[in-house]
Every structure is written in structure tokens, then in C-alpha cells.
Amino acid sequence: MYGNHDTTSVPVEAPAADDPTFDRDFMALIDDDGRVEPRDAMPDAYRRGLVRQIAQHAHSEIIGMQPEGSWIGRAPSLKRKAILMAKVQDEAGHGLYLYAAAETLGVDRADLLDRLHTGRQKYSSIFNYPTPTWADIGAIGWLVDGAAITNQVPITKCSYGPYARAMVRICKEESFHQRQGFEILHTLSHGSPQQHAMAQDAVDRWWWPSLMMFGPPDDDSPNSARSMRWGIKRFSNDELRQRFVDMTAPQSHALGLSLPDPELAFDALTGHWRYGEIDFTELFEVIKGNGPLNAQRMAHRTDAHERGDWVREAALGYAAKHARTEAVA
Ligand code: FAQ
């Protein structure tokens, strides 16, 4: 039955996808804000749309470990190192939840990784930018995690149950991540003039790419209409981008840092912050593979995957051994 949270049970009331009442019943569930569960019948395009988005999201989490991972050995204190290690581990965990959520749709994790490694699936543009200074770690936490939370909180209400539930935990962790980034920048901003300049430089470099994380403008977003109709996306790319600007602009004042947009201004009439034009040609170039570090990120990922072969082999051997032991007992 639709909305069945027991993923081990067999659906008895869900119409088959070729039943003429199927589309009507499925859309009625969506309109009723119900949840679709793994064993429910669902339109093929809905399933494919979810696999596309969840897989890209999972890939983003694991590629997103690289820019910060490179600073674990260089963090300025033991405390900062421990916090950063925990954060990067969290990103691996987010990837794990998301690959597991994608697998409930009948795809194989190894196949998804293969699609990433061969360029058939994407990951977020934001992780193709370099992290030359410690302040970049603060800017990633404040801006990138801030953008991620803004985008992901609505996904906790997404129509597909496993994706929605994975996002609840992920968002709690992302909110810790954002605060640690804010705190790093606050410390630097109120430190020496050189530290303040380093914080400002990082914010200057990460601001526009963070706005691009929300995707192309609504009138150039081919997936939005259908994803919103199906309750996968709850808000459009531009709506979420505006929310992010509204949240972040006042925070920059609290940090004592400016945002690199001369047109940024609060509009009392609308209650929103106006912002300048985004250069979306940069986003499309980065998505095409022409960002500053696309090649390096993918080379590192495929290399790590190959070097991790023995770990996967050992884990599968261990699982098979336990399955045999359990069968005998
Ligand atoms: N980068 O029609 P739309 C994080 C692609 S996680 C690359 O608007 P849609 C945590 C899009 O896939 C960050 N590609 O697409 C963290 C589509 O291509 P396709 C990831 C992009 O799906 C923090 C085409 O352009 N978050 O940061 C981008 O309706 C710190 C047309 O676009 C998620 O994945 C982009 N920025 O909206 C980790 C959240 N934007 O598939 C470590 C879930 C668009 O047709 C450290 N995803 N494209 O070939 C979403 O909310 C949506 O998928 C959007 C894109 C909003 C990203």
C-alpha cells in the first residue's frame, strides 16, 4: 500500500504501473502529500528522476570530502583537526545514507559509482574549486554547507520516503557543519589584519559558486517542473537561492565580512535581499567538466576507488562467511 513504511512487506494495494488507474492513484497520493515507499508501484520516470537526483547528491557528498580532506593534516590546532576529521567523516556517512536510499529504487551502488567515474552522472559544481587557505574551510562550512542546508531541508518532506528520512539526519549534521564554518571565519575575521584579509578573500571566492549550487535559473531548469509536480523538489532553484541570500547577507554583517556583490541590498518592499546577476556560463562550464579542479577531483576519486578494491573484497568475503555461518546455525 502507498505510504507503507515497512519496506519488507509486499504491496497489496498499490496499482501496477500498467493499470489504467495507476497515474491517477499515484498523483492522488502525491497531491495528498503521502509518501511513496520502495515496494510501492511508481511511474518509471519518477523512479529514474529520483535515481538521478539521489545519485548525484550521493556523489557530491563523497567528492565533497576532497576539498576539506586536504586540510586535515594542516589544520591550525589539534581541536580544529579533530573537528574537521569528524566533519569529513560525516560527509562519507551522508554518501552512505544516500547510496543506500538510491539502492531502494533497485539500482546497484557499484553501477552508480561506475556512472560517476565514467562521467555519466554528475556531482555538485561547488567541489571543483580549490581550497588554498585555512579560511577556505571556514567559507565551505558557512557558505557551502549553508547552501546545502537551504536546499536540503525541504527534501526532508520529499515524496519518496527513504530519501526524505535520510535527509533528516543529514540536515542535523549539516547544521553543525555550518556553525563550525561560521566560527572559523568569525575567529579569523576578528584576528590579525592578515587573518581578516584571508577570511575576506575566501568569502570573495566562494560566494558566487555557492549561489550556483542551487542550479540554473528556473526558466533554464529542465527537471524542475516535473520534480516539483512529483513532490521531489518542494521549491524552485531561484526560490531556494533567494532564501539563502536572505539568510546569509545578515550573517555576513555579524561576521564583519562583506559579500562581493555591489548590488546586494535589502529591499524593504519585498522583504528580500536583492542580488546582482549571476554568471551562469561559469556554472555550465564547471558542469561540463571545465572547472578549475574537475580533472583532479575525478582522478583522485577513481584512484581511491581502485586502491579500495581490497577493502570491498574483504567486506564481501566477511559478509559471505557470516551468511554461511548463519545458514548452518
Ligand atoms: N552542479 O534541471 P536542473 C553538499 C545539473 S551536497 C552540478 O535545475 P535539478 C554537502 C542538474 O543535475 C551538494 N550539476 O536540475 C556538502 C541537471 O543535469 P541532469 C549537492 C548541476 O536536479 C557540503 C542540469 O544541471 N546537493 O553540498 C548543478 O532539478 C560540504 C539542469 O538542472 C544536492 O545534490 C550543480 N550545482 O536541480 C558536502 C541536493 N545544478 O541531471 C561536502 C539535491 C544543476 O539533467 C562539503 N539535488 N545541475 O543531467 C537538488 O536539489 C537538485 O538536483 C539541484 C539541481 C538543485 C542540484
Side-chain angles (χ1 to χ4, degrees):
M1 151 155 58
Y2 282 125
N4 170 16
H5 282 241
D6 175 10
T7 54
T8 58
S9 68
V10 176
V12 284
E13 290 177 32
D18 56 359
D19 182 323
T21 62
F22 173 70
D23 278 346
R24 196 196 58 211
D25 290 355
F26 183 80
M27 290 319 299
L29 172 90
I30 299 288
D31 290 340
D32 200 31
D33 202 21
R35 292 289 168 272
V36 182
E37 294 298 337
R39 288 173 183 246
D40 294 338
M42 60 187 90
D44 203 42
Y46 175 82
R47 184 187 298 274
R48 275 187 278 115
L50 274 170
V51 169
R52 179 191 68 83
Q53 178 167 324
I54 301 174
Q56 290 184 9
H57 195 165
H59 300 330
S60 304
E61 296 285 356
I62 61 166
I63 298 266
M65 296 167 72
Q66 291 187 35
E68 292 170 293
S70 72
W71 272 94
I72 290 175
R74 296 178 286 166
S77 71
L78 184 59
K79 185 175 147 204
R80 295 284 186 204
K81 188 195 285 269
I83 293 171
L84 187 58
M85 270 167 60
K87 180 180 192 286
V88 174
Q89 269 180 339
D90 283 352
E91 314 298 0
H94 298 173
L96 189 65
Y97 311 153
L98 288 163
Y99 285 119
E103 283 183 321
T104 65
L105 291 157
V107 288
D108 180 43
R109 186 178 314 201
D111 179 47
L112 296 180
L113 285 170
D114 190 55
R115 290 194 222 175
L116 169 67
H117 298 157
T118 51
R120 286 175 293 147
Q121 275 180 345
K122 300 180 170 71
Y123 61 91
S124 180
S125 52
I126 195 74
F127 301 117
N128 294 302
Y129 292 86
T131 47
T133 72
W134 172 248
D136 289 76
I137 303 309
I140 289 182
W142 179 45
L143 295 175
V144 176
D145 284 289
I149 297 169
T150 310
N151 168 274
Q152 291 170 16
V153 166
I155 307 178
T156 63
K157 302 268 185 278
C158 139
S159 60
Y160 188 58
Y163 191 24
R165 291 190 287 277
M167 292 317 301
V168 172
R169 182 156 171 188
I170 291 178
C171 284
K172 283 187 184 152
E173 294 176 355
E174 299 289 22
S175 105
F176 156 73
H177 295 173
Q178 196 218 8
R179 279 176 228 175
Q180 68 86 39
F182 185 91
E183 201 267 334
I184 289 175
L185 286 182
H186 193 272
T187 305
L188 290 174
S189 172
H190 295 86
S192 68
Q194 290 87 344
Q195 287 172 323
H196 182 90
M198 185 170 45
Q200 185 61 59
D201 172 60
V203 168
D204 290 347
R205 285 181 289 106
W206 286 91
W207 173 246
W208 293 107
S210 298
L211 293 188
M212 293 173 203
M213 278 177 76
F214 294 92
D218 291 350
D219 55 11
D220 202 8
S221 165
N223 299 296
S224 275
R226 203 144 71 156
S227 289
M228 289 181 74
R229 181 66 191 96
W230 278 333
I232 297 172
K233 276 169 98 161
R234 297 289 181 178
F235 298 95
S236 77
N237 297 356
D238 287 332
E239 282 170 329
L240 292 174
R241 199 171 356 254
Q242 182 65 58
R243 261 188 205 193
F244 174 68
V245 176
D246 288 346
M247 174 183 83
T248 313
Q251 289 178 357
S252 71
H253 294 156
L255 279 173
L257 296 169
S258 61
L259 294 170
D261 178 358
E263 291 178 45
L264 191 70
F266 185 69
D267 183 338
L269 275 180
T270 62
H272 294 293
W273 286 79
R274 274 186 277 113
Y275 55 92
E277 199 178 330
I278 300 173
D279 175 11
F280 282 107
T281 54
E282 177 176 325
L283 172 67
F284 293 124
E285 278 304 307
V286 178
I287 294 178
K288 268 197 272 170
N290 301 327
L293 291 182
N294 294 58
Q296 182 179 317
R297 297 290 186 237
M298 283 313 297
H300 190 81
R301 166 98 274 281
T302 46
D303 181 51
H305 187 72
E306 279 159 24
R307 281 187 291 115
D309 207 26
W310 69 270
V311 180
R312 289 187 294 279
E313 202 181 308
L316 287 172
Y318 183 78
K321 188 174 113 185
H322 270 265
R324 278 196 302 275
T325 318
E326 272 166 30
V328 170

